[in-house]
Amino acid sequence: MIPPFVNNLFNVNSISFNEVVKELFQFQYNNNPVYRSFCEALHAERNIPAAIEAIPFLPISFFKTHRIESTEFTPETLFESSGTSQTIQSKHYVKSLALYNETFTKGFVRQYGLPENYCFLGLLPSYLERSHSSLVYMVQKLMEKSNHPMNGFYLNNFQELFNRLQLLEKEGQPTILIGVTFGLLDFAEQYQLPLKNTIIMETGGMKGRREEMTREQVHLQLKKSFSVETIHSEYGMTELLSQAYSKGNGIFHCPPWMKVLVRDEDDPLHISTTGKGAINIIDLANVYSISFIATDDVGEVFEDGSFRVLGRMDNSDIRGCSLLAL
């Protein structure tokens, strides 16, 4: 069962986005029993909401306790959150890897151009140590599209990473070093190297490995170690098939098929398209799971739809993404 709007997911604009959202809400209400029960518990009518602010957003914690599926299917893969040994992992059952591949590829190209233009270095120790990581899968596929002979993943072999960066810089090769925050900080403390052709992209995450730092502190330290003007960031999570990117100052931009809103922490049903509050996300690519997610992140959404992450809600589990507060 392929809904007709699936073919238009990546062609949406500010007008068609709302129309697709309405179709998607009806599809998921009818075909996702967990979401339907959640809507009914809120006494939300089956009728399509007049505005996206009126749509019920499923708490992200449901991915830990329920199998979130829209229609019945045999998943092609299962993505699990990294978390810590003390936390329950979220599970995202993915019906179509082709859809995920198209989502992250188009999202990357919009911000950075073709993957073929880059060499990719992944400093993702906590993710590489676990199977079913959506981030590792994404970076691996970008490496395959890049097909650069010096692409590679790194755990704690910093000397090899340092040597490779030196060689790539000498060759003038555009490179993206994407890493979990604590890994980048550990590397930056041991090795200082001016980078002129390399983008440093942090994915968030301390996971108890280091003392928590603000994003500003992290970026300042990384900029100093690598003599770069800006640090880029990726905002993604196991429960989403789409990603937002920041090219500096922690301001993220979504692809057209993804939208961030904020809810009042004291009244979670009060949702706004701008301002500060807990982050809600609409991800049209989550066709076969749930596209309307209430996260545990706190942030601010600006008039142009960009946003920044301010931290985590109290008592929320440690996650691999966006643990940093400004």
Side-chain angles (χ1 to χ4, degrees):
M1 180 179 181
I2 302 178
F5 55 81
V6 169
N7 295 326
N8 297 319
L9 292 181
F10 305 110
N11 298 317
V12 295
N13 54 38
S14 57
I15 298 175
S16 60
F17 182 89
N18 290 347
E19 295 304 313
V20 173
V21 163
K22 292 177 182 179
E23 295 181 62
L24 192 51
F25 168 78
Q26 188 172 49
F27 171 77
Q28 294 186 334
Y29 183 95
N30 292 334
N31 294 284
N32 189 320
V34 174
Y35 184 56
R36 183 168 60 251
S37 296
F38 176 74
C39 291
E40 291 172 349
L42 294 178
H43 303 292
E45 297 182 0
R46 181 175 180 173
N47 295 334
I48 299 173
I52 59 175
E53 299 95 314
I55 291 175
F57 285 78
L58 189 73
I60 199 166
S61 59
F62 274 61
F63 280 86
K64 297 179 180 180
T65 57
H66 297 74
R67 185 161 174 152
I68 309 300
E69 294 179 332
S70 294
T71 71
E72 295 182 3
F73 58 84
T74 300
E76 290 191 359
T77 195
L78 167 66
F79 289 139
E80 291 184 303
S81 61
S82 50
T84 68
S85 59
Q86 289 78 37
T87 60
I88 300 173
Q89 273 64 57
S90 292
K91 293 179 171 58
H92 190 173
Y93 296 90
V94 178
K95 179 178 181 178
S96 171
L97 276 172
L99 178 58
Y100 182 48
N101 291 340
E102 186 174 12
T103 302
F104 69 69
T105 301
K106 288 183 179 295
F108 179 87
V109 170
R110 286 184 63 86
Q111 293 291 333
Y112 296 98
L114 295 175
E116 291 86 340
N117 296 334
Y118 298 95
C119 175
F120 290 89
L121 306 178
L123 184 56
L124 303 167
S126 59
Y127 296 91
L128 292 171
E129 291 161 351
R130 290 177 178 270
S131 58
H132 303 296
S133 164
S134 58
L135 177 59
V136 170
Y137 178 90
M138 179 182 77
V139 176
Q140 177 66 56
K141 290 300 179 181
L142 290 174
M143 287 181 180
E144 291 176 9
K145 293 176 184 295
S146 158
N147 199 34
H148 194 281
M150 297 185 71
N151 289 332
F153 285 102
Y154 296 85
L155 281 168
N156 300 310
N157 43 341
F158 291 163
Q159 182 64 55
E160 182 182 348
L161 175 58
F162 178 74
N163 293 342
R164 183 154 296 190
L165 279 170
Q166 283 186 308
L167 183 57
L168 289 166
E169 283 290 318
K170 184 178 180 179
E171 294 178 350
Q173 169 63 46
T175 300
I176 294 180
L177 171 58
I178 181 169
V180 65
T181 303
F182 73 81
L184 288 172
L185 288 171
D186 288 347
F187 178 61
E189 286 180 355
Q190 297 182 39
Y191 295 90
Q192 285 74 49
L193 174 66
L195 298 175
K196 296 181 179 180
N197 303 295
T198 302
I199 292 171
I200 306 293
M201 182 182 294
E202 54 95 2
T203 67
M206 291 294 195
K207 293 186 175 65
R209 303 286 187 102
R210 298 175 61 104
E211 181 181 350
E212 293 296 330
M213 299 169 63
T214 67
R215 186 182 298 277
E216 186 177 39
Q217 290 172 326
V218 169
H219 286 200
L220 184 62
Q221 186 165 330
L222 294 177
K223 286 191 287 187
K224 182 178 179 181
S225 293
F226 301 118
S227 301
V228 295
E229 294 184 1
T230 59
I231 300 298
H232 294 223
S233 304
E234 181 261 0
Y235 182 87
M237 56 187 72
T238 300
E239 300 86 354
L240 299 176
L241 294 187
S242 299
Q243 302 79 33
Y245 291 98
S246 166
K247 292 186 176 181
N249 301 318
I251 304 299
F252 291 92
H253 295 269
C254 297
W257 55 89
M258 177 183 176
K259 187 176 182 65
V260 171
L261 302 91
V262 287
R263 67 184 185 276
D264 191 316
E265 293 186 53
D266 296 321
D267 180 7
L269 298 183
H270 185 268
I271 299 170
S272 304
T273 56
T274 60
K276 294 182 179 180
I279 289 178
N280 282 5
I281 296 177
I282 299 176
D283 183 1
L284 300 186
N286 274 25
V287 176
Y288 300 108
S289 51
I290 186 65
S291 292
F292 314 104
I293 297 176
T295 79
D296 292 329
D297 291 330
V298 177
E300 180 177 11
V301 180
F302 303 103
E303 291 289 342
D304 64 354
S306 63
F307 70 98
R308 61 174 177 157
V309 179
L310 300 174
R312 302 280 296 159
M313 295 181 66
D314 292 339
N315 301 319
S316 59
D317 289 338
I318 295 176
R319 296 171 55 88
C321 62
S322 306
L323 298 182
L324 308 179
L326 286 173

